[in-house]
Amino acid sequence: MTSEEIIKVLQEVEHPGNGDRNIVELGMLENVDVDGDKVTVSLVFPKHRDPLSEYLVGSCKATIIRHFPQAQVEVKTSIKEAPKKKPGLDLGLEELKNVRHLIGVASGKGGVGKSTVAVNLAVALAREGYRVGLADADVYGPSVPKMTGTEGAVPDAFNDPELGRDVIIPIEKYGVKWMSIGYFAKPEQALIWRGPMACNALKQMILQVRWGELDFLLIDMPPGTGDIHISLVHDIPFEGAVIVSTPQDVALADVEKGVNMFRNSSIDKKIFGLVENMAWFTPEELPQNRYYIFGKDGGARMAAKYNIPLLGQIPIVQSIREGGDNGEPVALSSRPDGIAFAALAAKLAEEADKAD
Ligand code: ADP
């Protein structure tokens, strides 16, 4: 039994999805190694998750054994993605190569304070001494410019001759590098971005930005768990995600969708933990008082259910909303609400270090 003989019999294995051409003529047979009775076949698939990959692996084994019953066959598979050529968007991962932790901040639904948490978390991490960037991927309602007081800023762009394309320089403030579609489009314009166009614009906000060396790059994901998210989590090499929720039962049900988006078998990313926002209400004048208006400990229960850490609990405090509205995140302050974000940042950094 020689490798030539194996290659010959493997010509009987046809790919039903490719006009019934066989795997040898399709160039899927990368290598054949024969060592005594041991036969190792390496197959290469042109795209992720070829639905027929399992079938083809089994078919290779069966064909070889039919011809050489004594053979002990192992079939290895790998993926060689054809370089993606999308009109107007030809971005690689070069700008992310010096980013240590690329983390999505996600929520199952809108309005739970995801952007507020993302912005304050970024500021709090920077205050801890980390190098931090945040990309606002909420193309439908970019809030980073307003929350950071950088509305009207226009990021510089230049052509990088080495990459042969334009790169965008993020806006720096509060020790964080910020990028948002809001710097390029008026809010009413952003609303009309749909489907693939929104998706491309959003990837540009991540992949075309000269982030430089960062300890943390947070991606403020669009709310929900739709097609855009699936495309994002496939194309951006996230290390994992932070899920933001309020303690309300309905919001907790949405958490499940958010967790599954990153945890499903084809993605399998780490969930760094859950942030319970609006965990209780504390009036400014009674900072010791806690009113659990959305229910108590819902976040802790949910974290336990999914076996993920509860990274932090953020109270509802008027100054958190005001900080968002006037462009000065409360994480800049050393008041109790600012400290809640400092504690959250420290916990996330601890979880991320574990992952290193
Ligand atoms: P999302 O990104 O989930 O849609 P936002 O971060 O835009 O939510 O928050 C929605 C609104 O709630 C904003 O006005 C924000 O200032 C306010 N908000 C969020 N979290 C808190 C909080 N912990 N305390 C007070 N107001 C908050």
Side-chain angles (χ1 to χ4, degrees), residues 303-325:
K305 180 172 173 199
Y306 287 103
N307 197 18
I308 54 181
L310 182 62
L311 284 181
Q313 292 177 301
I314 310 293
I316 304 183
V317 189
Q318 194 173 332
S319 56
I320 294 184
R321 188 196 51 75
E322 284 169 358
D325 285 350

mmCIF file with all atom_site columns, all heavy atoms in Angstrom, residues 303-325:
data_model
loop_
_atom_site.group_PDB
_atom_site.id
_atom_site.type_symbol
_atom_site.label_atom_id
_atom_site.label_alt_id
_atom_site.label_comp_id
_atom_site.label_asym_id
_atom_site.label_entity_id
_atom_site.label_seq_id
_atom_site.pdbx_PDB_ins_code
_atom_site.Cartn_x
_atom_site.Cartn_y
_atom_site.Cartn_z
_atom_site.occupancy
_atom_site.B_iso_or_equiv
_atom_site.pdbx_formal_charge
_atom_site.auth_seq_id
_atom_site.auth_comp_id
_atom_site.auth_asym_id
_atom_site.auth_atom_id
_atom_site.pdbx_PDB_model_num
ATOM 1   N N   . ALA A 1 303 ? -26.022 34.473 36.961 1.00 0.00 ? 303 ALA A N   1
ATOM 2   C CA  . ALA A 1 303 ? -24.593 34.144 36.837 1.00 0.00 ? 303 ALA A CA  1
ATOM 3   C C   . ALA A 1 303 ? -24.368 32.699 37.292 1.00 0.00 ? 303 ALA A C   1
ATOM 4   O O   . ALA A 1 303 ? -23.644 31.937 36.637 1.00 0.00 ? 303 ALA A O   1
ATOM 5   C CB  . ALA A 1 303 ? -23.759 35.112 37.671 1.00 0.00 ? 303 ALA A CB  1
ATOM 6   N N   . ALA A 1 304 ? -25.030 32.326 38.391 1.00 0.00 ? 304 ALA A N   1
ATOM 7   C CA  . ALA A 1 304 ? -24.865 30.957 38.906 1.00 0.00 ? 304 ALA A CA  1
ATOM 8   C C   . ALA A 1 304 ? -25.434 29.959 37.910 1.00 0.00 ? 304 ALA A C   1
ATOM 9   O O   . ALA A 1 304 ? -24.828 28.916 37.631 1.00 0.00 ? 304 ALA A O   1
ATOM 10  C CB  . ALA A 1 304 ? -25.568 30.827 40.253 1.00 0.00 ? 304 ALA A CB  1
ATOM 11  N N   . LYS A 1 305 ? -26.567 30.290 37.312 1.00 0.00 ? 305 LYS A N   1
ATOM 12  C CA  . LYS A 1 305 ? -27.214 29.369 36.373 1.00 0.00 ? 305 LYS A CA  1
ATOM 13  C C   . LYS A 1 305 ? -26.296 29.075 35.184 1.00 0.00 ? 305 LYS A C   1
ATOM 14  O O   . LYS A 1 305 ? -26.227 27.949 34.705 1.00 0.00 ? 305 LYS A O   1
ATOM 15  C CB  . LYS A 1 305 ? -28.530 29.987 35.895 1.00 0.00 ? 305 LYS A CB  1
ATOM 16  C CG  . LYS A 1 305 ? -29.273 29.112 34.915 1.00 0.00 ? 305 LYS A CG  1
ATOM 17  C CD  . LYS A 1 305 ? -30.654 29.634 34.589 1.00 0.00 ? 305 LYS A CD  1
ATOM 18  C CE  . LYS A 1 305 ? -31.244 28.780 33.472 1.00 0.00 ? 305 LYS A CE  1
ATOM 19  N NZ  . LYS A 1 305 ? -32.339 29.450 32.797 1.00 0.00 ? 305 LYS A NZ  1
ATOM 20  N N   . TYR A 1 306 ? -25.621 30.094 34.697 1.00 0.00 ? 306 TYR A N   1
ATOM 21  C CA  . TYR A 1 306 ? -24.749 29.893 33.542 1.00 0.00 ? 306 TYR A CA  1
ATOM 22  C C   . TYR A 1 306 ? -23.303 29.620 33.921 1.00 0.00 ? 306 TYR A C   1
ATOM 23  O O   . TYR A 1 306 ? -22.426 29.572 33.062 1.00 0.00 ? 306 TYR A O   1
ATOM 24  C CB  . TYR A 1 306 ? -24.834 31.097 32.592 1.00 0.00 ? 306 TYR A CB  1
ATOM 25  C CG  . TYR A 1 306 ? -26.134 31.081 31.865 1.00 0.00 ? 306 TYR A CG  1
ATOM 26  C CD1 . TYR A 1 306 ? -27.158 31.921 32.231 1.00 0.00 ? 306 TYR A CD1 1
ATOM 27  C CD2 . TYR A 1 306 ? -26.360 30.164 30.846 1.00 0.00 ? 306 TYR A CD2 1
ATOM 28  C CE1 . TYR A 1 306 ? -28.374 31.874 31.602 1.00 0.00 ? 306 TYR A CE1 1
ATOM 29  C CE2 . TYR A 1 306 ? -27.565 30.102 30.206 1.00 0.00 ? 306 TYR A CE2 1
ATOM 30  C CZ  . TYR A 1 306 ? -28.578 30.961 30.587 1.00 0.00 ? 306 TYR A CZ  1
ATOM 31  O OH  . TYR A 1 306 ? -29.773 30.893 29.959 1.00 0.00 ? 306 TYR A OH  1
ATOM 32  N N   . ASN A 1 307 ? -23.081 29.516 35.224 1.00 0.00 ? 307 ASN A N   1
ATOM 33  C CA  . ASN A 1 307 ? -21.741 29.210 35.693 1.00 0.00 ? 307 ASN A CA  1
ATOM 34  C C   . ASN A 1 307 ? -20.722 30.230 35.191 1.00 0.00 ? 307 ASN A C   1
ATOM 35  O O   . ASN A 1 307 ? -19.659 29.887 34.678 1.00 0.00 ? 307 ASN A O   1
ATOM 36  C CB  . ASN A 1 307 ? -21.370 27.788 35.228 1.00 0.00 ? 307 ASN A CB  1
ATOM 37  C CG  . ASN A 1 307 ? -20.199 27.253 36.013 1.00 0.00 ? 307 ASN A CG  1
ATOM 38  O OD1 . ASN A 1 307 ? -19.896 27.774 37.092 1.00 0.00 ? 307 ASN A OD1 1
ATOM 39  N ND2 . ASN A 1 307 ? -19.526 26.254 35.477 1.00 0.00 ? 307 ASN A ND2 1
ATOM 40  N N   . ILE A 1 308 ? -21.109 31.494 35.306 1.00 0.00 ? 308 ILE A N   1
ATOM 41  C CA  . ILE A 1 308 ? -20.190 32.570 34.933 1.00 0.00 ? 308 ILE A CA  1
ATOM 42  C C   . ILE A 1 308 ? -20.052 33.502 36.134 1.00 0.00 ? 308 ILE A C   1
ATOM 43  O O   . ILE A 1 308 ? -20.950 33.586 36.959 1.00 0.00 ? 308 ILE A O   1
ATOM 44  C CB  . ILE A 1 308 ? -20.675 33.365 33.686 1.00 0.00 ? 308 ILE A CB  1
ATOM 45  C CG1 . ILE A 1 308 ? -22.102 33.894 33.895 1.00 0.00 ? 308 ILE A CG1 1
ATOM 46  C CG2 . ILE A 1 308 ? -20.604 32.529 32.434 1.00 0.00 ? 308 ILE A CG2 1
ATOM 47  C CD1 . ILE A 1 308 ? -22.650 34.669 32.700 1.00 0.00 ? 308 ILE A CD1 1
ATOM 48  N N   . PRO A 1 309 ? -18.930 34.203 36.233 1.00 0.00 ? 309 PRO A N   1
ATOM 49  C CA  . PRO A 1 309 ? -18.768 35.100 37.382 1.00 0.00 ? 309 PRO A CA  1
ATOM 50  C C   . PRO A 1 309 ? -19.728 36.284 37.307 1.00 0.00 ? 309 PRO A C   1
ATOM 51  O O   . PRO A 1 309 ? -20.058 36.743 36.217 1.00 0.00 ? 309 PRO A O   1
ATOM 52  C CB  . PRO A 1 309 ? -17.320 35.592 37.251 1.00 0.00 ? 309 PRO A CB  1
ATOM 53  C CG  . PRO A 1 309 ? -16.676 34.745 36.215 1.00 0.00 ? 309 PRO A CG  1
ATOM 54  C CD  . PRO A 1 309 ? -17.751 34.159 35.362 1.00 0.00 ? 309 PRO A CD  1
ATOM 55  N N   . LEU A 1 310 ? -20.188 36.741 38.465 1.00 0.00 ? 310 LEU A N   1
ATOM 56  C CA  . LEU A 1 310 ? -20.898 38.017 38.532 1.00 0.00 ? 310 LEU A CA  1
ATOM 57  C C   . LEU A 1 310 ? -19.799 39.067 38.689 1.00 0.00 ? 310 LEU A C   1
ATOM 58  O O   . LEU A 1 310 ? -19.182 39.189 39.741 1.00 0.00 ? 310 LEU A O   1
ATOM 59  C CB  . LEU A 1 310 ? -21.858 38.036 39.722 1.00 0.00 ? 310 LEU A CB  1
ATOM 60  C CG  . LEU A 1 310 ? -22.691 39.310 39.873 1.00 0.00 ? 310 LEU A CG  1
ATOM 61  C CD1 . LEU A 1 310 ? -23.598 39.533 38.677 1.00 0.00 ? 310 LEU A CD1 1
ATOM 62  C CD2 . LEU A 1 310 ? -23.514 39.274 41.156 1.00 0.00 ? 310 LEU A CD2 1
ATOM 63  N N   . LEU A 1 311 ? -19.521 39.777 37.590 1.00 0.00 ? 311 LEU A N   1
ATOM 64  C CA  . LEU A 1 311 ? -18.366 40.689 37.601 1.00 0.00 ? 311 LEU A CA  1
ATOM 65  C C   . LEU A 1 311 ? -18.613 41.916 38.459 1.00 0.00 ? 311 LEU A C   1
ATOM 66  O O   . LEU A 1 311 ? -17.682 42.482 39.022 1.00 0.00 ? 311 LEU A O   1
ATOM 67  C CB  . LEU A 1 311 ? -18.046 41.160 36.180 1.00 0.00 ? 311 LEU A CB  1
ATOM 68  C CG  . LEU A 1 311 ? -17.350 40.205 35.237 1.00 0.00 ? 311 LEU A CG  1
ATOM 69  C CD1 . LEU A 1 311 ? -17.121 40.894 33.912 1.00 0.00 ? 311 LEU A CD1 1
ATOM 70  C CD2 . LEU A 1 311 ? -16.034 39.725 35.809 1.00 0.00 ? 311 LEU A CD2 1
ATOM 71  N N   . GLY A 1 312 ? -19.873 42.353 38.498 1.00 0.00 ? 312 GLY A N   1
ATOM 72  C CA  . GLY A 1 312 ? -20.132 43.556 39.275 1.00 0.00 ? 312 GLY A CA  1
ATOM 73  C C   . GLY A 1 312 ? -21.595 43.901 39.296 1.00 0.00 ? 312 GLY A C   1
ATOM 74  O O   . GLY A 1 312 ? -22.383 43.404 38.480 1.00 0.00 ? 312 GLY A O   1
ATOM 75  N N   . GLN A 1 313 ? -21.956 44.722 40.257 1.00 0.00 ? 313 GLN A N   1
ATOM 76  C CA  . GLN A 1 313 ? -23.324 45.231 40.369 1.00 0.00 ? 313 GLN A CA  1
ATOM 77  C C   . GLN A 1 313 ? -23.234 46.755 40.386 1.00 0.00 ? 313 GLN A C   1
ATOM 78  O O   . GLN A 1 313 ? -22.491 47.334 41.177 1.00 0.00 ? 313 GLN A O   1
ATOM 79  C CB  . GLN A 1 313 ? -23.968 44.732 41.659 1.00 0.00 ? 313 GLN A CB  1
ATOM 80  C CG  . GLN A 1 313 ? -24.204 43.226 41.645 1.00 0.00 ? 313 GLN A CG  1
ATOM 81  C CD  . GLN A 1 313 ? -24.782 42.751 42.958 1.00 0.00 ? 313 GLN A CD  1
ATOM 82  O OE1 . GLN A 1 313 ? -24.177 42.931 44.000 1.00 0.00 ? 313 GLN A OE1 1
ATOM 83  N NE2 . GLN A 1 313 ? -25.968 42.162 42.904 1.00 0.00 ? 313 GLN A NE2 1
ATOM 84  N N   . ILE A 1 314 ? -23.982 47.370 39.495 1.00 0.00 ? 314 ILE A N   1
ATOM 85  C CA  . ILE A 1 314 ? -23.947 48.824 39.386 1.00 0.00 ? 314 ILE A CA  1
ATOM 86  C C   . ILE A 1 314 ? -25.321 49.362 39.798 1.00 0.00 ? 314 ILE A C   1
ATOM 87  O O   . ILE A 1 314 ? -26.337 48.931 39.251 1.00 0.00 ? 314 ILE A O   1
ATOM 88  C CB  . ILE A 1 314 ? -23.651 49.260 37.924 1.00 0.00 ? 314 ILE A CB  1
ATOM 89  C CG1 . ILE A 1 314 ? -22.423 48.532 37.356 1.00 0.00 ? 314 ILE A CG1 1
ATOM 90  C CG2 . ILE A 1 314 ? -23.518 50.773 37.830 1.00 0.00 ? 314 ILE A CG2 1
ATOM 91  C CD1 . ILE A 1 314 ? -21.108 48.882 37.983 1.00 0.00 ? 314 ILE A CD1 1
ATOM 92  N N   . PRO A 1 315 ? -25.354 50.257 40.769 1.00 0.00 ? 315 PRO A N   1
ATOM 93  C CA  . PRO A 1 315 ? -26.653 50.809 41.182 1.00 0.00 ? 315 PRO A CA  1
ATOM 94  C C   . PRO A 1 315 ? -27.217 51.796 40.165 1.00 0.00 ? 315 PRO A C   1
ATOM 95  O O   . PRO A 1 315 ? -26.494 52.279 39.291 1.00 0.00 ? 315 PRO A O   1
ATOM 96  C CB  . PRO A 1 315 ? -26.307 51.536 42.490 1.00 0.00 ? 315 PRO A CB  1
ATOM 97  C CG  . PRO A 1 315 ? -24.858 51.860 42.400 1.00 0.00 ? 315 PRO A CG  1
ATOM 98  C CD  . PRO A 1 315 ? -24.222 50.823 41.519 1.00 0.00 ? 315 PRO A CD  1
ATOM 99  N N   . ILE A 1 316 ? -28.515 52.070 40.277 1.00 0.00 ? 316 ILE A N   1
ATOM 100 C CA  . ILE A 1 316 ? -29.089 53.193 39.527 1.00 0.00 ? 316 ILE A CA  1
ATOM 101 C C   . ILE A 1 316 ? -28.816 54.434 40.353 1.00 0.00 ? 316 ILE A C   1
ATOM 102 O O   . ILE A 1 316 ? -29.254 54.529 41.503 1.00 0.00 ? 316 ILE A O   1
ATOM 103 C CB  . ILE A 1 316 ? -30.625 53.106 39.404 1.00 0.00 ? 316 ILE A CB  1
ATOM 104 C CG1 . ILE A 1 316 ? -31.054 51.803 38.780 1.00 0.00 ? 316 ILE A CG1 1
ATOM 105 C CG2 . ILE A 1 316 ? -31.172 54.297 38.609 1.00 0.00 ? 316 ILE A CG2 1
ATOM 106 C CD1 . ILE A 1 316 ? -32.561 51.728 38.584 1.00 0.00 ? 316 ILE A CD1 1
ATOM 107 N N   . VAL A 1 317 ? -28.075 55.321 39.781 1.00 0.00 ? 317 VAL A N   1
ATOM 108 C CA  . VAL A 1 317 ? -27.780 56.571 40.467 1.00 0.00 ? 317 VAL A CA  1
ATOM 109 C C   . VAL A 1 317 ? -27.943 57.676 39.445 1.00 0.00 ? 317 VAL A C   1
ATOM 110 O O   . VAL A 1 317 ? -27.534 57.517 38.287 1.00 0.00 ? 317 VAL A O   1
ATOM 111 C CB  . VAL A 1 317 ? -26.324 56.584 41.013 1.00 0.00 ? 317 VAL A CB  1
ATOM 112 C CG1 . VAL A 1 317 ? -26.102 57.781 41.912 1.00 0.00 ? 317 VAL A CG1 1
ATOM 113 C CG2 . VAL A 1 317 ? -26.018 55.311 41.773 1.00 0.00 ? 317 VAL A CG2 1
ATOM 114 N N   . GLN A 1 318 ? -28.548 58.744 39.879 1.00 0.00 ? 318 GLN A N   1
ATOM 115 C CA  . GLN A 1 318 ? -28.812 59.839 38.943 1.00 0.00 ? 318 GLN A CA  1
ATOM 116 C C   . GLN A 1 318 ? -27.528 60.308 38.258 1.00 0.00 ? 318 GLN A C   1
ATOM 117 O O   . GLN A 1 318 ? -27.508 60.615 37.070 1.00 0.00 ? 318 GLN A O   1
ATOM 118 C CB  . GLN A 1 318 ? -29.445 60.996 39.712 1.00 0.00 ? 318 GLN A CB  1
ATOM 119 C CG  . GLN A 1 318 ? -30.068 62.033 38.786 1.00 0.00 ? 318 GLN A CG  1
ATOM 120 C CD  . GLN A 1 318 ? -30.841 63.071 39.588 1.00 0.00 ? 318 GLN A CD  1
ATOM 121 O OE1 . GLN A 1 318 ? -31.344 62.764 40.674 1.00 0.00 ? 318 GLN A OE1 1
ATOM 122 N NE2 . GLN A 1 318 ? -30.926 64.268 39.070 1.00 0.00 ? 318 GLN A NE2 1
ATOM 123 N N   . SER A 1 319 ? -26.434 60.339 39.017 1.00 0.00 ? 319 SER A N   1
ATOM 124 C CA  . SER A 1 319 ? -25.185 60.869 38.452 1.00 0.00 ? 319 SER A CA  1
ATOM 125 C C   . SER A 1 319 ? -24.647 59.977 37.325 1.00 0.00 ? 319 SER A C   1
ATOM 126 O O   . SER A 1 319 ? -23.895 60.450 36.472 1.00 0.00 ? 319 SER A O   1
ATOM 127 C CB  . SER A 1 319 ? -24.133 61.005 39.553 1.00 0.00 ? 319 SER A CB  1
ATOM 128 O OG  . SER A 1 319 ? -23.950 59.757 40.185 1.00 0.00 ? 319 SER A OG  1
ATOM 129 N N   . ILE A 1 320 ? -25.034 58.701 37.301 1.00 0.00 ? 320 ILE A N   1
ATOM 130 C CA  . ILE A 1 320 ? -24.561 57.830 36.211 1.00 0.00 ? 320 ILE A CA  1
ATOM 131 C C   . ILE A 1 320 ? -25.206 58.285 34.904 1.00 0.00 ? 320 ILE A C   1
ATOM 132 O O   . ILE A 1 320 ? -24.545 58.411 33.872 1.00 0.00 ? 320 ILE A O   1
ATOM 133 C CB  . ILE A 1 320 ? -24.874 56.345 36.509 1.00 0.00 ? 320 ILE A CB  1
ATOM 134 C CG1 . ILE A 1 320 ? -24.053 55.880 37.726 1.00 0.00 ? 320 ILE A CG1 1
ATOM 135 C CG2 . ILE A 1 320 ? -24.588 55.472 35.278 1.00 0.00 ? 320 ILE A CG2 1
ATOM 136 C CD1 . ILE A 1 320 ? -24.184 54.411 38.077 1.00 0.00 ? 320 ILE A CD1 1
ATOM 137 N N   . ARG A 1 321 ? -26.521 58.570 34.974 1.00 0.00 ? 321 ARG A N   1
ATOM 138 C CA  . ARG A 1 321 ? -27.184 59.064 33.768 1.00 0.00 ? 321 ARG A CA  1
ATOM 139 C C   . ARG A 1 321 ? -26.650 60.449 33.398 1.00 0.00 ? 321 ARG A C   1
ATOM 140 O O   . ARG A 1 321 ? -26.363 60.719 32.236 1.00 0.00 ? 321 ARG A O   1
ATOM 141 C CB  . ARG A 1 321 ? -28.700 59.111 33.954 1.00 0.00 ? 321 ARG A CB  1
ATOM 142 C CG  . ARG A 1 321 ? -29.409 59.443 32.659 1.00 0.00 ? 321 ARG A CG  1
ATOM 143 C CD  . ARG A 1 321 ? -30.845 59.890 32.823 1.00 0.00 ? 321 ARG A CD  1
ATOM 144 N NE  . ARG A 1 321 ? -31.049 60.951 33.796 1.00 0.00 ? 321 ARG A NE  1
ATOM 145 C CZ  . ARG A 1 321 ? -30.744 62.245 33.618 1.00 0.00 ? 321 ARG A CZ  1
ATOM 146 N NH1 . ARG A 1 321 ? -30.188 62.619 32.473 1.00 0.00 ? 321 ARG A NH1 1
ATOM 147 N NH2 . ARG A 1 321 ? -30.959 63.129 34.555 1.00 0.00 ? 321 ARG A NH2 1
ATOM 148 N N   . GLU A 1 322 ? -26.490 61.293 34.398 1.00 0.00 ? 322 GLU A N   1
ATOM 149 C CA  . GLU A 1 322 ? -26.008 62.652 34.112 1.00 0.00 ? 322 GLU A CA  1
ATOM 150 C C   . GLU A 1 322 ? -24.612 62.612 33.501 1.00 0.00 ? 322 GLU A C   1
ATOM 151 O O   . GLU A 1 322 ? -24.312 63.331 32.561 1.00 0.00 ? 322 GLU A O   1
ATOM 152 C CB  . GLU A 1 322 ? -25.998 63.492 35.396 1.00 0.00 ? 322 GLU A CB  1
ATOM 153 C CG  . GLU A 1 322 ? -27.396 63.928 35.785 1.00 0.00 ? 322 GLU A CG  1
ATOM 154 C CD  . GLU A 1 322 ? -27.466 64.528 37.189 1.00 0.00 ? 322 GLU A CD  1
ATOM 155 O OE1 . GLU A 1 322 ? -26.432 64.577 37.905 1.00 0.00 ? 322 GLU A OE1 1
ATOM 156 O OE2 . GLU A 1 322 ? -28.571 64.927 37.563 1.00 0.00 ? 322 GLU A OE2 1
ATOM 157 N N   . GLY A 1 323 ? -23.770 61.728 34.038 1.00 0.00 ? 323 GLY A N   1
ATOM 158 C CA  . GLY A 1 323 ? -22.412 61.591 33.504 1.00 0.00 ? 323 GLY A CA  1
ATOM 159 C C   . GLY A 1 323 ? -22.449 61.201 32.036 1.00 0.00 ? 323 GLY A C   1
ATOM 160 O O   . GLY A 1 323 ? -21.654 61.675 31.214 1.00 0.00 ? 323 GLY A O   1
ATOM 161 N N   . GLY A 1 324 ? -23.425 60.323 31.698 1.00 0.00 ? 324 GLY A N   1
ATOM 162 C CA  . GLY A 1 324 ? -23.587 59.916 30.297 1.00 0.00 ? 324 GLY A CA  1
ATOM 163 C C   . GLY A 1 324 ? -24.052 61.066 29.438 1.00 0.00 ? 324 GLY A C   1
ATOM 164 O O   . GLY A 1 324 ? -23.602 61.251 28.311 1.00 0.00 ? 324 GLY A O   1
ATOM 165 N N   . ASP A 1 325 ? -24.946 61.863 29.994 1.00 0.00 ? 325 ASP A N   1
ATOM 166 C CA  . ASP A 1 325 ? -25.520 62.965 29.211 1.00 0.00 ? 325 ASP A CA  1
ATOM 167 C C   . ASP A 1 325 ? -24.558 64.129 29.023 1.00 0.00 ? 325 ASP A C   1
ATOM 168 O O   . ASP A 1 325 ? -24.607 64.820 28.016 1.00 0.00 ? 325 ASP A O   1
ATOM 169 C CB  . ASP A 1 325 ? -26.807 63.477 29.884 1.00 0.00 ? 325 ASP A CB  1
ATOM 170 C CG  . ASP A 1 325 ? -27.965 62.512 29.662 1.00 0.00 ? 325 ASP A CG  1
ATOM 171 O OD1 . ASP A 1 325 ? -27.811 61.585 28.841 1.00 0.00 ? 325 ASP A OD1 1
ATOM 172 O OD2 . ASP A 1 325 ? -29.008 62.683 30.323 1.00 0.00 ? 325 ASP A OD2 1
#
